PDB file of all heavy atoms in Angstrom:
ATOM      1  N   ASP A 258     -26.548  26.169 115.887  1.00 93.00           N
ATOM      2  CA  ASP A 258     -25.186  26.417 116.362  1.00 93.00           C
ATOM      3  C   ASP A 258     -24.520  25.162 116.896  1.00 93.00           C
ATOM      4  O   ASP A 258     -23.285  25.084 116.963  1.00 93.00           O
ATOM      5  CB  ASP A 258     -25.192  27.497 117.449  1.00 93.00           C
ATOM      6  CG  ASP A 258     -25.572  28.861 116.904  1.00 93.00           C
ATOM      7  OD1 ASP A 258     -25.305  29.116 115.714  1.00 93.00           O
ATOM      8  OD2 ASP A 258     -26.159  29.664 117.656  1.00 93.00           O
ATOM      9  N   ASN A 259     -25.324  24.187 117.323  1.00 94.00           N
ATOM     10  CA  ASN A 259     -24.772  22.982 117.948  1.00 94.00           C
ATOM     11  C   ASN A 259     -25.230  21.694 117.264  1.00 94.00           C
ATOM     12  O   ASN A 259     -25.020  20.605 117.802  1.00 94.00           O
ATOM     13  CB  ASN A 259     -25.168  22.934 119.432  1.00 94.00           C
ATOM     14  CG  ASN A 259     -24.622  24.118 120.206  1.00 94.00           C
ATOM     15  OD1 ASN A 259     -23.418  24.301 120.289  1.00 94.00           O
ATOM     16  ND2 ASN A 259     -25.509  24.928 120.761  1.00 94.00           N
ATOM     17  N   PHE A 260     -25.835  21.819 116.092  1.00 97.00           N
ATOM     18  CA  PHE A 260     -26.341  20.637 115.389  1.00 97.00           C
ATOM     19  C   PHE A 260     -25.190  19.777 114.864  1.00 97.00           C
ATOM     20  O   PHE A 260     -25.174  18.555 115.040  1.00 97.00           O
ATOM     21  CB  PHE A 260     -27.251  21.072 114.237  1.00 97.00           C
ATOM     22  CG  PHE A 260     -27.857  19.938 113.481  1.00 97.00           C
ATOM     23  CD1 PHE A 260     -28.955  19.251 113.983  1.00 97.00           C
ATOM     24  CD2 PHE A 260     -27.340  19.554 112.248  1.00 97.00           C
ATOM     25  CE1 PHE A 260     -29.522  18.196 113.278  1.00 97.00           C
ATOM     26  CE2 PHE A 260     -27.897  18.497 111.537  1.00 97.00           C
ATOM     27  CZ  PHE A 260     -28.989  17.816 112.051  1.00 97.00           C
ATOM     28  N   PHE A 261     -24.216  20.402 114.216  1.00 97.00           N
ATOM     29  CA  PHE A 261     -23.052  19.686 113.692  1.00 97.00           C
ATOM     30  C   PHE A 261     -21.942  19.670 114.742  1.00 97.00           C
ATOM     31  O   PHE A 261     -21.819  20.596 115.550  1.00 97.00           O
ATOM     32  CB  PHE A 261     -22.534  20.349 112.418  1.00 97.00           C
ATOM     33  CG  PHE A 261     -23.480  20.276 111.260  1.00 97.00           C
ATOM     34  CD1 PHE A 261     -24.198  21.402 110.862  1.00 97.00           C
ATOM     35  CD2 PHE A 261     -23.671  19.096 110.563  1.00 97.00           C
ATOM     36  CE1 PHE A 261     -25.074  21.343 109.792  1.00 97.00           C
ATOM     37  CE2 PHE A 261     -24.549  19.019 109.488  1.00 97.00           C
ATOM     38  CZ  PHE A 261     -25.254  20.148 109.102  1.00 97.00           C
ATOM     39  N   SER A 262     -21.129  18.626 114.701  1.00 97.00           N
ATOM     40  CA  SER A 262     -19.987  18.562 115.623  1.00 97.00           C
ATOM     41  C   SER A 262     -18.970  19.645 115.286  1.00 97.00           C
ATOM     42  O   SER A 262     -18.330  20.197 116.173  1.00 97.00           O
ATOM     43  CB  SER A 262     -19.332  17.179 115.552  1.00 97.00           C
ATOM     44  OG  SER A 262     -18.854  16.923 114.226  1.00 97.00           O
ATOM     45  N   ARG A 263     -18.829  19.944 114.012  1.00 96.00           N
ATOM     46  CA  ARG A 263     -17.977  21.054 113.565  1.00 96.00           C
ATOM     47  C   ARG A 263     -18.422  21.493 112.183  1.00 96.00           C
ATOM     48  O   ARG A 263     -18.972  20.691 111.407  1.00 96.00           O
ATOM     49  CB  ARG A 263     -16.504  20.644 113.525  1.00 96.00           C
ATOM     50  CG  ARG A 263     -16.141  19.584 112.504  1.00 96.00           C
ATOM     51  CD  ARG A 263     -14.670  19.207 112.561  1.00 96.00           C
ATOM     52  NE  ARG A 263     -14.350  18.128 111.627  1.00 96.00           N
ATOM     53  CZ  ARG A 263     -13.956  18.322 110.374  1.00 96.00           C
ATOM     54  NH1 ARG A 263     -13.805  19.562 109.908  1.00 96.00           N
ATOM     55  NH2 ARG A 263     -13.693  17.288 109.583  1.00 96.00           N
ATOM     56  N   ILE A 264     -18.216  22.765 111.905  1.00 97.00           N
ATOM     57  CA  ILE A 264     -18.485  23.321 110.576  1.00 97.00           C
ATOM     58  C   ILE A 264     -17.188  23.912 110.067  1.00 97.00           C
ATOM     59  O   ILE A 264     -16.633  24.849 110.653  1.00 97.00           O
ATOM     60  CB  ILE A 264     -19.591  24.384 110.615  1.00 97.00           C
ATOM     61  CG1 ILE A 264     -20.915  23.771 111.065  1.00 97.00           C
ATOM     62  CG2 ILE A 264     -19.761  25.022 109.235  1.00 97.00           C
ATOM     63  CD1 ILE A 264     -22.067  24.773 111.137  1.00 97.00           C
ATOM     64  N   GLU A 265     -16.697  23.370 108.968  1.00 96.00           N
ATOM     65  CA  GLU A 265     -15.438  23.822 108.387  1.00 96.00           C
ATOM     66  C   GLU A 265     -15.694  24.821 107.270  1.00 96.00           C
ATOM     67  O   GLU A 265     -16.481  24.554 106.356  1.00 96.00           O
ATOM     68  CB  GLU A 265     -14.662  22.622 107.842  1.00 96.00           C
ATOM     69  CG  GLU A 265     -13.304  22.984 107.266  1.00 96.00           C
ATOM     70  CD  GLU A 265     -12.543  21.769 106.763  1.00 96.00           C
ATOM     71  OE1 GLU A 265     -12.926  20.640 107.135  1.00 96.00           O
ATOM     72  OE2 GLU A 265     -11.582  21.958 105.992  1.00 96.00           O
ATOM     73  N   GLU A 266     -15.062  25.969 107.352  1.00 96.00           N
ATOM     74  CA  GLU A 266     -15.160  26.981 106.300  1.00 96.00           C
ATOM     75  C   GLU A 266     -14.047  26.741 105.286  1.00 96.00           C
ATOM     76  O   GLU A 266     -12.868  26.891 105.606  1.00 96.00           O
ATOM     77  CB  GLU A 266     -15.052  28.385 106.896  1.00 96.00           C
ATOM     78  CG  GLU A 266     -16.214  28.761 107.810  1.00 96.00           C
ATOM     79  CD  GLU A 266     -16.092  30.161 108.371  1.00 96.00           C
ATOM     80  OE1 GLU A 266     -15.072  30.446 109.035  1.00 96.00           O
ATOM     81  OE2 GLU A 266     -16.993  30.981 108.133  1.00 96.00           O
ATOM     82  N   VAL A 267     -14.434  26.381 104.061  1.00 95.00           N
ATOM     83  CA  VAL A 267     -13.438  26.051 103.033  1.00 95.00           C
ATOM     84  C   VAL A 267     -13.206  27.195 102.057  1.00 95.00           C
ATOM     85  O   VAL A 267     -12.313  27.120 101.215  1.00 95.00           O
ATOM     86  CB  VAL A 267     -13.847  24.776 102.271  1.00 95.00           C
ATOM     87  CG1 VAL A 267     -13.944  23.593 103.211  1.00 95.00           C
ATOM     88  CG2 VAL A 267     -15.172  24.977 101.536  1.00 95.00           C
ATOM     89  N   GLY A 268     -14.008  28.258 102.149  1.00 91.00           N
ATOM     90  CA  GLY A 268     -13.835  29.403 101.260  1.00 91.00           C
ATOM     91  C   GLY A 268     -14.425  29.162  99.877  1.00 91.00           C
ATOM     92  O   GLY A 268     -14.969  28.109  99.573  1.00 91.00           O
ATOM     93  N   ARG A 269     -14.324  30.208  99.051  1.00 87.00           N
ATOM     94  CA  ARG A 269     -14.847  30.133  97.693  1.00 87.00           C
ATOM     95  C   ARG A 269     -13.759  29.644  96.762  1.00 87.00           C
ATOM     96  O   ARG A 269     -12.578  29.760  97.078  1.00 87.00           O
ATOM     97  CB  ARG A 269     -15.355  31.509  97.252  1.00 87.00           C
ATOM     98  CG  ARG A 269     -16.467  32.051  98.151  1.00 87.00           C
ATOM     99  CD  ARG A 269     -17.040  33.324  97.586  1.00 87.00           C
ATOM    100  NE  ARG A 269     -17.819  33.058  96.391  1.00 87.00           N
ATOM    101  CZ  ARG A 269     -19.110  32.735  96.398  1.00 87.00           C
ATOM    102  NH1 ARG A 269     -19.751  32.614  97.536  1.00 87.00           N
ATOM    103  NH2 ARG A 269     -19.751  32.519  95.288  1.00 87.00           N
ATOM    104  N   PRO A 270     -14.117  29.056  95.609  1.00 89.00           N
ATOM    105  CA  PRO A 270     -15.484  28.876  95.110  1.00 89.00           C
ATOM    106  C   PRO A 270     -16.219  27.763  95.853  1.00 89.00           C
ATOM    107  O   PRO A 270     -15.611  26.930  96.522  1.00 89.00           O
ATOM    108  CB  PRO A 270     -15.274  28.521  93.640  1.00 89.00           C
ATOM    109  CG  PRO A 270     -13.952  27.837  93.611  1.00 89.00           C
ATOM    110  CD  PRO A 270     -13.119  28.554  94.631  1.00 89.00           C
ATOM    111  N   MET A 271     -17.539  27.739  95.674  1.00 92.00           N
ATOM    112  CA  MET A 271     -18.367  26.810  96.425  1.00 92.00           C
ATOM    113  C   MET A 271     -18.133  25.357  96.018  1.00 92.00           C
ATOM    114  O   MET A 271     -18.486  24.434  96.756  1.00 92.00           O
ATOM    115  CB  MET A 271     -19.844  27.182  96.243  1.00 92.00           C
ATOM    116  CG  MET A 271     -20.759  26.631  97.322  1.00 92.00           C
ATOM    117  SD  MET A 271     -22.479  27.131  97.062  1.00 92.00           S
ATOM    118  CE  MET A 271     -22.342  28.902  97.254  1.00 92.00           C
ATOM    119  N   GLU A 272     -17.513  25.145  94.862  1.00 94.00           N
ATOM    120  CA  GLU A 272     -17.187  23.783  94.453  1.00 94.00           C
ATOM    121  C   GLU A 272     -16.296  23.076  95.476  1.00 94.00           C
ATOM    122  O   GLU A 272     -16.275  21.834  95.537  1.00 94.00           O
ATOM    123  CB  GLU A 272     -16.491  23.801  93.085  1.00 94.00           C
ATOM    124  CG  GLU A 272     -17.419  24.088  91.917  1.00 94.00           C
ATOM    125  CD  GLU A 272     -17.648  25.573  91.685  1.00 94.00           C
ATOM    126  OE1 GLU A 272     -17.275  26.390  92.554  1.00 94.00           O
ATOM    127  OE2 GLU A 272     -18.205  25.923  90.641  1.00 94.00           O
ATOM    128  N   ARG A 273     -15.569  23.850  96.265  1.00 95.00           N
ATOM    129  CA  ARG A 273     -14.717  23.251  97.295  1.00 95.00           C
ATOM    130  C   ARG A 273     -15.544  22.486  98.331  1.00 95.00           C
ATOM    131  O   ARG A 273     -15.077  21.487  98.890  1.00 95.00           O
ATOM    132  CB  ARG A 273     -13.903  24.341  97.993  1.00 95.00           C
ATOM    133  CG  ARG A 273     -12.848  24.996  97.123  1.00 95.00           C
ATOM    134  CD  ARG A 273     -12.126  26.072  97.909  1.00 95.00           C
ATOM    135  NE  ARG A 273     -11.121  26.747  97.093  1.00 95.00           N
ATOM    136  CZ  ARG A 273     -10.412  27.798  97.510  1.00 95.00           C
ATOM    137  NH1 ARG A 273     -10.598  28.269  98.738  1.00 95.00           N
ATOM    138  NH2 ARG A 273      -9.519  28.361  96.711  1.00 95.00           N
ATOM    139  N   VAL A 274     -16.755  22.957  98.596  1.00 97.00           N
ATOM    140  CA  VAL A 274     -17.639  22.255  99.538  1.00 97.00           C
ATOM    141  C   VAL A 274     -18.006  20.884  98.985  1.00 97.00           C
ATOM    142  O   VAL A 274     -17.981  19.878  99.694  1.00 97.00           O
ATOM    143  CB  VAL A 274     -18.903  23.089  99.820  1.00 97.00           C
ATOM    144  CG1 VAL A 274     -19.850  22.335 100.749  1.00 97.00           C
ATOM    145  CG2 VAL A 274     -18.547  24.444 100.419  1.00 97.00           C
ATOM    146  N   VAL A 275     -18.347  20.851  97.690  1.00 97.00           N
ATOM    147  CA  VAL A 275     -18.694  19.582  97.046  1.00 97.00           C
ATOM    148  C   VAL A 275     -17.512  18.622  97.088  1.00 97.00           C
ATOM    149  O   VAL A 275     -17.658  17.429  97.385  1.00 97.00           O
ATOM    150  CB  VAL A 275     -19.150  19.831  95.594  1.00 97.00           C
ATOM    151  CG1 VAL A 275     -19.466  18.513  94.890  1.00 97.00           C
ATOM    152  CG2 VAL A 275     -20.377  20.745  95.562  1.00 97.00           C
ATOM    153  N   GLU A 276     -16.333  19.129  96.804  1.00 97.00           N
ATOM    154  CA  GLU A 276     -15.131  18.295  96.839  1.00 97.00           C
ATOM    155  C   GLU A 276     -14.874  17.743  98.241  1.00 97.00           C
ATOM    156  O   GLU A 276     -14.495  16.568  98.405  1.00 97.00           O
ATOM    157  CB  GLU A 276     -13.920  19.103  96.364  1.00 97.00           C
ATOM    158  CG  GLU A 276     -12.631  18.318  96.340  1.00 97.00           C
ATOM    159  CD  GLU A 276     -11.452  19.157  95.861  1.00 97.00           C
ATOM    160  OE1 GLU A 276     -11.666  20.310  95.428  1.00 97.00           O
ATOM    161  OE2 GLU A 276     -10.311  18.647  95.937  1.00 97.00           O
ATOM    162  N   ALA A 277     -15.085  18.578  99.272  1.00 97.00           N
ATOM    163  CA  ALA A 277     -14.852  18.139 100.651  1.00 97.00           C
ATOM    164  C   ALA A 277     -15.776  16.994 101.029  1.00 97.00           C
ATOM    165  O   ALA A 277     -15.377  16.072 101.749  1.00 97.00           O
ATOM    166  CB  ALA A 277     -15.042  19.318 101.606  1.00 97.00           C
ATOM    167  N   VAL A 278     -17.007  17.029 100.543  1.00 98.00           N
ATOM    168  CA  VAL A 278     -17.955  15.946 100.834  1.00 98.00           C
ATOM    169  C   VAL A 278     -17.607  14.703 100.018  1.00 98.00           C
ATOM    170  O   VAL A 278     -17.563  13.589 100.538  1.00 98.00           O
ATOM    171  CB  VAL A 278     -19.404  16.393 100.539  1.00 98.00           C
ATOM    172  CG1 VAL A 278     -20.383  15.239 100.748  1.00 98.00           C
ATOM    173  CG2 VAL A 278     -19.787  17.572 101.420  1.00 98.00           C
ATOM    174  N   ALA A 279     -17.355  14.870  98.733  1.00 97.00           N
ATOM    175  CA  ALA A 279     -17.100  13.740  97.840  1.00 97.00           C
ATOM    176  C   ALA A 279     -15.855  12.959  98.239  1.00 97.00           C
ATOM    177  O   ALA A 279     -15.805  11.727  98.074  1.00 97.00           O
ATOM    178  CB  ALA A 279     -16.972  14.233  96.404  1.00 97.00           C
ATOM    179  N   THR A 280     -14.860  13.646  98.789  1.00 97.00           N
ATOM    180  CA  THR A 280     -13.607  12.987  99.176  1.00 97.00           C
ATOM    181  C   THR A 280     -13.625  12.469 100.607  1.00 97.00           C
ATOM    182  O   THR A 280     -12.616  11.921 101.074  1.00 97.00           O
ATOM    183  CB  THR A 280     -12.428  13.951  98.990  1.00 97.00           C
ATOM    184  OG1 THR A 280     -12.661  15.141  99.776  1.00 97.00           O
ATOM    185  CG2 THR A 280     -12.263  14.338  97.528  1.00 97.00           C
ATOM    186  N   GLY A 281     -14.737  12.668 101.320  1.00 96.00           N
ATOM    187  CA  GLY A 281     -14.849  12.163 102.684  1.00 96.00           C
ATOM    188  C   GLY A 281     -14.205  13.029 103.741  1.00 96.00           C
ATOM    189  O   GLY A 281     -14.071  12.617 104.892  1.00 96.00           O
ATOM    190  N   ARG A 282     -13.836  14.229 103.366  1.00 97.00           N
ATOM    191  CA  ARG A 282     -13.239  15.144 104.344  1.00 97.00           C
ATOM    192  C   ARG A 282     -14.246  15.542 105.407  1.00 97.00           C
ATOM    193  O   ARG A 282     -13.896  15.742 106.576  1.00 97.00           O
ATOM    194  CB  ARG A 282     -12.715  16.365 103.591  1.00 97.00           C
ATOM    195  CG  ARG A 282     -12.014  17.406 104.424  1.00 97.00           C
ATOM    196  CD  ARG A 282     -11.327  18.366 103.472  1.00 97.00           C
ATOM    197  NE  ARG A 282     -11.188  19.695 104.039  1.00 97.00           N
ATOM    198  CZ  ARG A 282     -10.791  20.753 103.334  1.00 97.00           C
ATOM    199  NH1 ARG A 282     -10.524  20.622 102.045  1.00 97.00           N
ATOM    200  NH2 ARG A 282     -10.672  21.929 103.905  1.00 97.00           N
ATOM    201  N   VAL A 283     -15.510  15.697 105.012  1.00 97.00           N
ATOM    202  CA  VAL A 283     -16.605  15.986 105.945  1.00 97.00           C
ATOM    203  C   VAL A 283     -17.785  15.099 105.586  1.00 97.00           C
ATOM    204  O   VAL A 283     -17.833  14.494 104.503  1.00 97.00           O
ATOM    205  CB  VAL A 283     -17.034  17.473 105.884  1.00 97.00           C
ATOM    206  CG1 VAL A 283     -15.947  18.382 106.433  1.00 97.00           C
ATOM    207  CG2 VAL A 283     -17.407  17.861 104.462  1.00 97.00           C
ATOM    208  N   ASP A 284     -18.751  15.032 106.484  1.00 97.00           N
ATOM    209  CA  ASP A 284     -19.929  14.182 106.258  1.00 97.00           C
ATOM    210  C   ASP A 284     -20.974  14.850 105.376  1.00 97.00           C
ATOM    211  O   ASP A 284     -21.702  14.160 104.643  1.00 97.00           O
ATOM    212  CB  ASP A 284     -20.567  13.820 107.603  1.00 97.00           C
ATOM    213  CG  ASP A 284     -19.615  13.042 108.494  1.00 97.00           C
ATOM    214  OD1 ASP A 284     -19.118  11.992 108.058  1.00 97.00           O
ATOM    215  OD2 ASP A 284     -19.360  13.505 109.636  1.00 97.00           O
ATOM    216  N   ALA A 285     -21.086  16.160 105.479  1.00 98.00           N
ATOM    217  CA  ALA A 285     -22.137  16.872 104.744  1.00 98.00           C
ATOM    218  C   ALA A 285     -21.609  18.214 104.263  1.00 98.00           C
ATOM    219  O   ALA A 285     -20.610  18.735 104.767  1.00 98.00           O
ATOM    220  CB  ALA A 285     -23.360  17.073 105.626  1.00 98.00           C
ATOM    221  N   GLY A 286     -22.298  18.771 103.289  1.00 98.00           N
ATOM    222  CA  GLY A 286     -21.939  20.092 102.768  1.00 98.00           C
ATOM    223  C   GLY A 286     -23.171  20.945 102.602  1.00 98.00           C
ATOM    224  O   GLY A 286     -24.263  20.434 102.290  1.00 98.00           O
ATOM    225  N   LEU A 287     -23.025  22.230 102.830  1.00 98.00           N
ATOM    226  CA  LEU A 287     -24.123  23.181 102.645  1.00 98.00           C
ATOM    227  C   LEU A 287     -23.791  24.015 101.418  1.00 98.00           C
ATOM    228  O   LEU A 287     -22.853  24.816 101.426  1.00 98.00           O
ATOM    229  CB  LEU A 287     -24.280  24.067 103.882  1.00 98.00           C
ATOM    230  CG  LEU A 287     -24.289  23.365 105.251  1.00 98.00           C
ATOM    231  CD1 LEU A 287     -24.562  24.370 106.364  1.00 98.00           C
ATOM    232  CD2 LEU A 287     -25.297  22.246 105.284  1.00 98.00           C
ATOM    233  N   ILE A 288     -24.573  23.832 100.359  1.00 96.00           N
ATOM    234  CA  ILE A 288     -24.342  24.547  99.111  1.00 96.00           C
ATOM    235  C   ILE A 288     -25.635  25.209  98.668  1.00 96.00           C
ATOM    236  O   ILE A 288     -26.709  24.949  99.222  1.00 96.00           O
ATOM    237  CB  ILE A 288     -23.831  23.619  97.994  1.00 96.00           C
ATOM    238  CG1 ILE A 288     -24.888  22.550  97.659  1.00 96.00           C
ATOM    239  CG2 ILE A 288     -22.497  22.972  98.396  1.00 96.00           C
ATOM    240  CD1 ILE A 288     -24.544  21.685  96.460  1.00 96.00           C
ATOM    241  N   LYS A 289     -25.539  26.063  97.669  1.00 94.00           N
ATOM    242  CA  LYS A 289     -26.748  26.685  97.144  1.00 94.00           C
ATOM    243  C   LYS A 289     -27.390  25.763  96.130  1.00 94.00           C
ATOM    244  O   LYS A 289     -26.711  25.012  95.414  1.00 94.00           O
ATOM    245  CB  LYS A 289     -26.450  28.049  96.527  1.00 94.00           C
ATOM    246  CG  LYS A 289     -25.830  28.030  95.158  1.00 94.00           C
ATOM    247  CD  LYS A 289     -25.575  29.447  94.706  1.00 94.00           C
ATOM    248  CE  LYS A 289     -25.144  29.486  93.250  1.00 94.00           C
ATOM    249  NZ  LYS A 289     -26.228  29.106  92.334  1.00 94.00           N
ATOM    250  N   ALA A 290     -28.704  25.786  96.065  1.00 95.00           N
ATOM    251  CA  ALA A 290     -29.441  24.957  95.121  1.00 95.00           C
ATOM    252  C   ALA A 290     -29.021  25.299  93.695  1.00 95.00           C
ATOM    253  O   ALA A 290     -28.877  26.468  93.342  1.00 95.00           O
ATOM    254  CB  ALA A 290     -30.939  25.180  95.297  1.00 95.00           C
ATOM    255  N   GLY A 291     -28.808  24.272  92.901  1.00 93.00           N
ATOM    256  CA  GLY A 291     -28.426  24.466  91.506  1.00 93.00           C
ATOM    257  C   GLY A 291     -26.964  24.189  91.230  1.00 93.00           C
ATOM    258  O   GLY A 291     -26.594  23.871  90.100  1.00 93.00           O
ATOM    259  N   LEU A 292     -26.131  24.291  92.257  1.00 94.00           N
ATOM    260  CA  LEU A 292     -24.700  24.079  92.033  1.00 94.00           C
ATOM    261  C   LEU A 292     -24.419  22.643  91.602  1.00 94.00           C
ATOM    262  O   LEU A 292     -23.631  22.407  90.678  1.00 94.00           O
ATOM    263  CB  LEU A 292     -23.908  24.415  93.298  1.00 94.00           C
ATOM    264  CG  LEU A 292     -22.401  24.169  93.201  1.00 94.00           C
ATOM    265  CD1 LEU A 292     -21.772  25.068  92.152  1.00 94.00           C
ATOM    266  CD2 LEU A 292     -21.726  24.368  94.553  1.00 94.00           C
ATOM    267  N   MET A 293     -25.052  21.664  92.248  1.00 94.00           N
ATOM    268  CA  MET A 293     -24.800  20.268  91.901  1.00 94.00           C
ATOM    269  C   MET A 293     -25.177  19.994  90.449  1.00 94.00           C
ATOM    270  O   MET A 293     -24.428  19.353  89.703  1.00 94.00           O
ATOM    271  CB  MET A 293     -25.575  19.343  92.834  1.00 94.00           C
ATOM    272  CG  MET A 293     -25.227  17.877  92.632  1.00 94.00           C
ATOM    273  SD  MET A 293     -26.259  16.755  93.616  1.00 94.00           S
ATOM    274  CE  MET A 293     -27.797  16.824  92.683  1.00 94.00           C
ATOM    275  N   GLU A 294     -26.344  20.489  90.016  1.00 94.00           N
ATOM    276  CA  GLU A 294     -26.780  20.266  88.641  1.00 94.00           C
ATOM    277  C   GLU A 294     -25.820  20.904  87.632  1.00 94.00           C
ATOM    278  O   GLU A 294     -25.504  20.308  86.593  1.00 94.00           O
ATOM    279  CB  GLU A 294     -28.197  20.829  88.437  1.00 94.00           C
ATOM    280  CG  GLU A 294     -29.292  20.034  89.141  1.00 94.00           C
ATOM    281  CD  GLU A 294     -29.546  20.497  90.563  1.00 94.00           C
ATOM    282  OE1 GLU A 294     -28.659  21.150  91.146  1.00 94.00           O
ATOM    283  OE2 GLU A 294     -30.629  20.210  91.099  1.00 94.00           O
ATOM    284  N   LEU A 295     -25.344  22.091  87.957  1.00 91.00           N
ATOM    285  CA  LEU A 295     -24.425  22.776  87.056  1.00 91.00           C
ATOM    286  C   LEU A 295     -23.076  22.060  86.987  1.00 91.00           C
ATOM    287  O   LEU A 295     -22.459  21.974  85.921  1.00 91.00           O
ATOM    288  CB  LEU A 295     -24.238  24.229  87.511  1.00 91.00           C
ATOM    289  CG  LEU A 295     -25.474  25.112  87.369  1.00 91.00           C
ATOM    290  CD1 LEU A 295     -25.298  26.412  88.142  1.00 91.00           C
ATOM    291  CD2 LEU A 295     -25.756  25.407  85.906  1.00 91.00           C
ATOM    292  N   MET A 296     -22.620  21.538  88.108  1.00 93.00           N
ATOM    293  CA  MET A 296     -21.360  20.794  88.108  1.00 93.00           C
ATOM    294  C   MET A 296     -21.513  19.467  87.353  1.00 93.00           C
ATOM    295  O   MET A 296     -20.587  19.028  86.655  1.00 93.00           O
ATOM    296  CB  MET A 296     -20.908  20.547  89.544  1.00 93.00           C
ATOM    297  CG  MET A 296     -20.448  21.797  90.270  1.00 93.00           C
ATOM    298  SD  MET A 296     -19.910  21.471  91.982  1.00 93.00           S
ATOM    299  CE  MET A 296     -18.414  20.498  91.694  1.00 93.00           C
ATOM    300  N   LEU A 297     -22.673  18.830  87.479  1.00 94.00           N
ATOM    301  CA  LEU A 297     -22.917  17.600  86.726  1.00 94.00           C
ATOM    302  C   LEU A 297     -22.916  17.870  85.230  1.00 94.00           C
ATOM    303  O   LEU A 297     -22.354  17.089  84.438  1.00 94.00           O
ATOM    304  CB  LEU A 297     -24.259  16.991  87.148  1.00 94.00           C
ATOM    305  CG  LEU A 297     -24.298  16.271  88.497  1.00 94.00           C
ATOM    306  CD1 LEU A 297     -25.733  15.908  88.859  1.00 94.00           C
ATOM    307  CD2 LEU A 297     -23.416  15.019  88.478  1.00 94.00           C
ATOM    308  N   ALA A 298     -23.535  18.981  84.840  1.00 91.00           N
ATOM    309  CA  ALA A 298     -23.560  19.340  83.421  1.00 91.00           C
ATOM    310  C   ALA A 298     -22.157  19.627  82.896  1.00 91.00           C
ATOM    311  O   ALA A 298     -21.863  19.402  81.713  1.00 91.00           O
ATOM    312  CB  ALA A 298     -24.463  20.548  83.206  1.00 91.00           C
ATOM    313  N   ALA A 299     -21.293  20.107  83.781  1.00 90.00           N
ATOM    314  CA  ALA A 299     -19.915  20.403  83.390  1.00 90.00           C
ATOM    315  C   ALA A 299     -19.016  19.173  83.461  1.00 90.00           C
ATOM    316  O   ALA A 299     -17.829  19.252  83.141  1.00 90.00           O
ATOM    317  CB  ALA A 299     -19.346  21.511  84.271  1.00 90.00           C
TER     318      ALA A 299
END
C-alpha cells in the first residue's frame, strides 16, 4: 500500500499502462505476463 509514491489507474485496455511507462509518465507499470511479448509481435 505504501511501496510506490503513487499508483495511477489508467483504465483498460492494458496497453495504456505500457504507453504510460514508455513515455515517461510513470516510472513503472504493472501488467499481466505475456502482454509485452504480444505487443512486440504486433
Side-chain angles (χ1 to χ4, degrees):
D258 292 331
N259 299 299
F260 182 79
F261 294 105
S262 61
R263 66 182 177 91
I264 297 180
E265 182 179 344
E266 294 181 302
V267 299
R269 300 187 71 87
M271 200 179 296
E272 286 84 348
R273 292 179 181 175
V274 178
V275 178
E276 181 180 353
V278 176
T280 58
R282 182 168 152 190
V283 292
D284 299 304
L287 313 184
I288 63 173
K289 78 181 189 68
L292 177 64
M293 187 186 75
E294 289 89 340
L295 292 166
M296 290 180 68
L297 284 172

